[in-house]
Amino acid sequence: MSSLIHSEESQEYEALLQFLYMAPVGLVQISSDGTIVMLNPLSAQLLMPLSRDGELTNLFEALAPVAPDLQLQCSQFCADYGQICDATRLYLHADGAASGPQVLSLSMLKLDAERLMAVLNDITMQDRRERQLRKTDAWLNAIMTNIADYALVSLDKRGRIESWNESIGRVTGHTPGIKGQPYAIFYPSEATTPEQQLDRLREADENGWALDEGARLRADGSEFWGSSMTSPLPIRIDENSQPIQFNDEEAAYCMIIRDISDKRDASENLRKAAYCDHLTGLSNRRAFFEAADLEILRRKNALRPVSLIMLDADHFKAINDQYGHPAGDAVLCHLAATMKSVCRQVDVLARIGGEEFAVILPSVDLADAMTVAERLRAQVELIPAIYEQHVIAYTISIGVAAMDDNLTGFDGLMKRADQALYAAKRRGRNQVAFFDTDAADFPTQHIGVGHER
């Protein structure tokens, strides 16, 4: 009888192992402190890119770069059992082909006081399809929305304003004198670059339209929240049924600018829910990698400099230990505010890990990126954070890298900036270091370091 029971138990155990091995999702059982007790092969495959040392022993530590609040979220779940989070999206590094970030879905279940279960799934393709659908929704919304007022502008092949009409003056306050000027006149100075303006025209050529939303500028210098949709004009046909080529002075595009200031709050709330880090208000990893994907694609279509800054708050654990985690959060918010004060509107500022931040600098070469980084480092050192009457002085270490033809994707640029960041830390922190390709026979080992202190 006893042998029969043992045989049945053995069969059940083998069936369970077979289920775990064949399961179409990643399953990870952990203890309350994150120690991995069991994981199936698929979960090991999904998590391995997050492991720096090739080992997976603690799930909270493995996921810390992409889900820094997961451990806190689990510890604050008071029920005896139940679902802690459902289908939370984790955005991993972009791949070498710059085809976008890998996206994992994470659900956490509390089994009892000592055991948790993580369910992981690769939803990269689903996420890409949803991004395309969102673009389509934005386009349909722009067409179907009851347009109360708008400015219709025609542009030549280089994006210069070709015609003027009363609708432009009514919405923006401009006069016929703007003819011949680039359409950037409708944007705040730090909200776009000449290269980005041409990018939108190319996107309109490729997709049939290009839509963007953000701050716009009136003739009197006041700003409003607007959307701009740019479309190429239909190709004209001559008497021989041949397409007529536009010259540089003829209208090639039409642009519709709408004042949607009354919809800004709703639009911003939706954007923040999906794309903002909840603590600092900067872009989250999802927005960061989507922006990186787009910037690399634009650089392939038209060569221009792209730089990346990665930075860490020095000795951040000591700040948490001395003043407590709320004070640590205040330091991160202070750092985010300082980054906003130093960088341009067109730059992409993101929190990509616990105390790790990054900035994408479109149309900025390595030398200018170093200037921005040094200004940021000096500003943080000069003005300390303040939390509940405590003055908390801290410093940051910064790594800078620039895109070049030796790199095939954004992932390589991140690795360079990350290596420069660690070089800055190794040399004493509170420094800016850059990845010097000229000095690197083996880029993964040799780092050029500048601005030593």
Side-chain angles (χ1 to χ4, degrees), residues 317-360:
K317 184 176 183 304
I319 295 174
N320 276 334
D321 292 343
Q322 183 175 354
Y323 299 100
H325 287 278
D329 288 348
V331 167
L332 297 180
C333 290
H334 174 270
L335 176 54
T338 307
M339 291 169 65
K340 289 179 181 176
S341 70
V342 170
C343 297
R344 306 169 300 172
Q345 287 186 35
V346 73
D347 299 331
V348 180
L349 285 59
R351 181 187 179 204
I352 58 175
E355 67 272 24
E356 191 174 22
F357 295 78
V359 184
I360 301 171

Side-chain angles (χ1 to χ4, degrees), residues 129-172:
R129 286 194 294 270
E130 289 176 359
R131 287 163 59 183
Q132 290 298 321
L133 286 173
R134 283 197 298 274
K135 291 180 180 178
T136 304
D137 286 346
W139 179 66
L140 290 174
N141 183 54
I143 294 175
M144 302 302 292
T145 301
N146 182 25
I147 300 175
D149 207 356
Y150 64 93
L152 177 62
V153 186
S154 61
L155 308 174
D156 65 19
K157 291 174 65 175
R158 297 168 62 184
R160 296 172 303 195
I161 299 168
E162 192 273 339
S163 65
W164 184 91
N165 60 42
E166 291 184 356
S167 72
I168 305 173
R170 189 170 59 249
V171 174
T172 68

Side-chain angles (χ1 to χ4, degrees), residues 239-274:
E239 61 274 14
N240 298 317
S241 301
Q242 295 299 314
I244 299 174
Q245 296 296 322
F246 291 110
N247 63 43
D248 284 348
E249 307 302 325
E250 289 183 301
Y253 303 90
C254 71
M255 170 183 279
I256 296 175
I257 303 173
R258 293 191 303 137
D259 184 344
I260 56 170
S261 299
D262 58 333
K263 300 179 179 62
R264 178 178 181 174
D265 288 345
S267 176
E268 276 292 275
N269 288 339
L270 287 172
R271 188 185 66 82
K272 287 180 178 178

Side-chain angles (χ1 to χ4, degrees), residues 299 305-309 364-367 369 400-405 407 412-413 416-417 434-435 437:
R299 187 179 183 277
V306 177
S307 295
L308 176 67
I309 289 175
V364 173
D365 61 20
L366 182 62
V400 185
M403 195 75 191
D404 62 31
D405 293 338
L407 296 175
L413 183 61
R416 287 183 173 184
F434 67 95
F435 187 94
T437 53

